[in-house]
Amino acid sequence: MDREKLNRFHIALMVFNTQSGVVLFTLPRVTAHYFGTNGWLMLIPMFALVTLNIMLISAVYRMGRGESVFDILGASLPRFILIPLYVLLWGLFSMIGCLVIKQYALIYQMLIFPSTSDMVIKIFVDVLLFLYITKGIYTMSKANVIFSLLLLLQIPLAFYFLGEFDTARLTPFVFQEGTDRIEGFIRLYGAYMGYELTLFLFPYAENTKRWLKYVHLGNGITMFVYLLVTFLAYGFFGHKTLIHSSFPILDMYAYLRFPFIERIQNFLYSLFLFSIVHTGAMYYWSGQVVMSQVFRRMNWKVIVLLSMAATVGVGMIPKTLIKVESWFRYLTIAQMGFSFGFPLLLILLLLVHRRTKKHA
């Protein structure tokens, strides 16, 4: 019996929702702080860079004819090299998944439950995340359609801000009064992170190259949302005000008034729980996929549980958002190395294997 394949449109939404998250609330401040006036324009070259990276991933799929990345590695490298590599990747993915949830929990505590421990909130989200992952990647992809729609349905709220939007706040200047652009580049890349996990979807996707176009589609949806949000924030506040606003989007939400709900920014932020659950789940799921290559006889659900348990203690260390963002910086650099280095390694191995086979 043929195994079910992931729907290509579901893959697009998985890419979008893995990339999106808490970063959306801080993105206008990040672009304003590091790139200055009209810093939102930097989202476009970053999108182009990510697109090139997705093309590298597509090249791996085409050259390997849909073969799993683990089969490609196993055919060329000895196991004593692969095991440390897999453990390293498991640690990276699990830590990113842990910090994604920790960051959300800290902000949620600050906004809604200041008297509740952030670890209580984090463990609550961890339980939801574990239940979500254990349904399997196919069920996750279907549930994520609803999660993504809950986020995309917030886009019409943009019309409420047009009355306060002033093009004069955009200024005619570009990239002036910025600070550390290299740091800004790292932060912006972190906003797009998540697409690289499609490397582990090769065995689950349909056996055609067309699904790869939907990875680009998911990345395109992310760019559209990011551009819309940051552009509105620049016209609503101006870049100098954005620099001093911790969560500009939440501040914008605070201007919304509805007769049936108070403090709508808290309600809308709560909806992002679904995005956080999916993002964290994709990183933990990728971690268990990698670790399953080391412990091949262990049930994958047990690996997920052990991965989450191993990172709970680590998640208790950072107590502030500043500390979490500092940790994220180093993990983002490591993930950037993986995103570009891993596909290049796979392409190199495929070329060597092809040449060796040709001369055999």
Side-chain angles (χ1 to χ4, degrees):
M1 185 176 178
D2 293 336
R3 185 166 60 178
E4 181 184 5
K5 295 296 181 181
L6 292 174
N7 182 284
R8 62 188 76 166
F9 185 68
H10 291 176
I11 291 176
L13 291 180
M14 287 172 74
V15 171
F16 158 68
N17 213 9
T18 305
Q19 290 176 313
S20 304
V22 173
V23 68
L24 192 63
F25 295 94
T26 60
L27 197 57
R29 171 174 57 82
V30 169
T31 56
H33 178 73
Y34 293 106
F35 300 102
T37 53
N38 287 304
W40 58 274
L41 288 169
M42 271 304 297
L43 290 166
I44 299 173
M46 182 57 68
F47 166 77
L49 180 65
V50 170
T51 298
L52 289 174
N53 198 182
I54 294 173
M55 291 171 68
L56 269 181
I57 295 171
S58 301
V60 173
Y61 184 83
R62 291 188 176 95
M63 291 176 66
R65 297 177 181 177
E67 197 174 17
S68 165
V69 295
F70 302 116
D71 291 337
I72 297 171
L73 290 169
S76 304
L77 296 176
R79 190 162 172 80
F80 72 86
I81 293 178
L82 291 177
I83 289 178
L85 175 63
Y86 291 155
V87 172
L88 187 65
L89 292 179
W90 165 80
L92 175 61
F93 297 152
S94 297
M95 277 304 303
I96 293 175
C98 172
L99 289 184
V100 163
I101 301 165
K102 177 72 174 185
Q103 187 181 33
Y104 180 83
L106 282 169
I107 299 174
Y108 202 83
Q109 177 200 39
M110 183 175 63
L111 290 176
I112 304 173
F113 295 117
S115 61
T116 304
S117 167
D118 61 276
M119 284 306 297
V120 172
I121 299 172
K122 182 185 180 303
I123 291 172
F124 170 76
V125 179
D126 281 342
V127 171
L128 293 178
L129 189 145
F130 178 73
L131 295 173
Y132 181 60
I133 300 176
T134 52
K135 295 300 180 182
I137 192 66
Y138 301 108
T139 303
M140 286 167 60
S141 71
K142 294 168 186 174
N144 180 64
V145 174
I146 299 173
F147 295 171
S148 299
L149 288 177
L150 287 174
L151 299 186
L152 293 173
L153 286 174
Q154 295 184 38
I155 290 178
L157 291 176
F159 292 105
Y160 284 91
F161 303 112
L162 293 179
E164 299 294 328
F165 186 91
D166 188 351
T167 53
R169 297 191 185 105
L170 296 175
T171 78
F173 307 104
V174 178
F175 305 149
Q176 293 189 12
E177 302 179 28
T179 54
D180 188 347
R181 293 187 179 179
I182 294 176
E183 182 68 21
F185 177 86
I186 294 170
R187 295 294 183 93
L188 281 193
Y189 177 79
Y192 279 99
M193 233 165 52
Y195 66 91
E196 68 281 358
L197 301 182
T198 53
L199 279 162
F200 304 112
L201 295 181
F202 288 2
Y204 304 94
E206 57 191 43
N207 296 322
T208 67
K209 301 171 185 176
R210 286 178 291 183
W211 72 269
L212 295 165
K213 296 178 181 178
Y214 286 77
V215 179
H216 289 286
L217 174 61
N219 187 45
I221 296 172
T222 301
M223 187 198 67
F224 168 74
V225 172
Y226 284 175
L227 277 177
L228 176 66
V229 165
T230 51
F231 180 72
L232 280 174
Y234 269 77
F236 193 87
F237 293 113
H239 89 280
K240 288 187 177 179
T241 304
L242 287 175
I243 292 171
H244 302 289
S245 174
S246 298
F247 308 105
I249 305 307
L250 288 177
D251 293 339
M252 287 176 66
Y253 281 164
Y255 283 84
L256 295 174
R257 293 290 183 270
F258 294 102
F260 51 86
I261 188 170
E262 293 185 6
R263 297 183 64 83
I264 191 171
Q265 67 269 34
N266 292 352
F267 170 72
L268 293 175
Y269 183 75
S270 298
L271 285 181
F272 269 79
L273 171 64
F274 299 106
S275 179
I276 297 303
V277 166
H278 178 76
T279 301
M282 284 304 297
Y283 278 102
Y284 275 117
W285 178 84
S286 298
Q288 70 80 20
V289 167
V290 173
M291 210 57 175
S292 292
Q293 301 300 312
V294 178
F295 301 104
R296 293 177 176 173
R297 296 184 179 180
M298 187 178 291
N299 186 286
W300 69 271
K301 295 181 181 180
V302 175
I303 294 177
V304 173
L305 181 61
L306 293 176
S307 299
M308 296 183 71
T311 53
V312 164
V314 180
M316 296 175 68
I317 299 174
K319 301 293 184 181
T320 64
L321 280 172
I322 294 175
K323 196 68 176 177
V324 171
E325 288 183 1
S326 175
W327 285 28
F328 253 129
R329 180 184 183 276
Y330 296 108
L331 290 174
T332 300
I333 293 172
Q335 192 70 355
M336 192 184 302
F338 166 78
S339 301
F340 288 91
F342 197 65
L344 288 173
L345 171 64
L346 293 170
I347 290 171
L348 178 62
L349 292 176
L350 285 167
L351 289 173
V352 171
H353 184 70
R354 184 179 296 177
R355 180 171 293 184
T356 305
K357 194 174 180 180
K358 186 176 181 182
H359 291 286

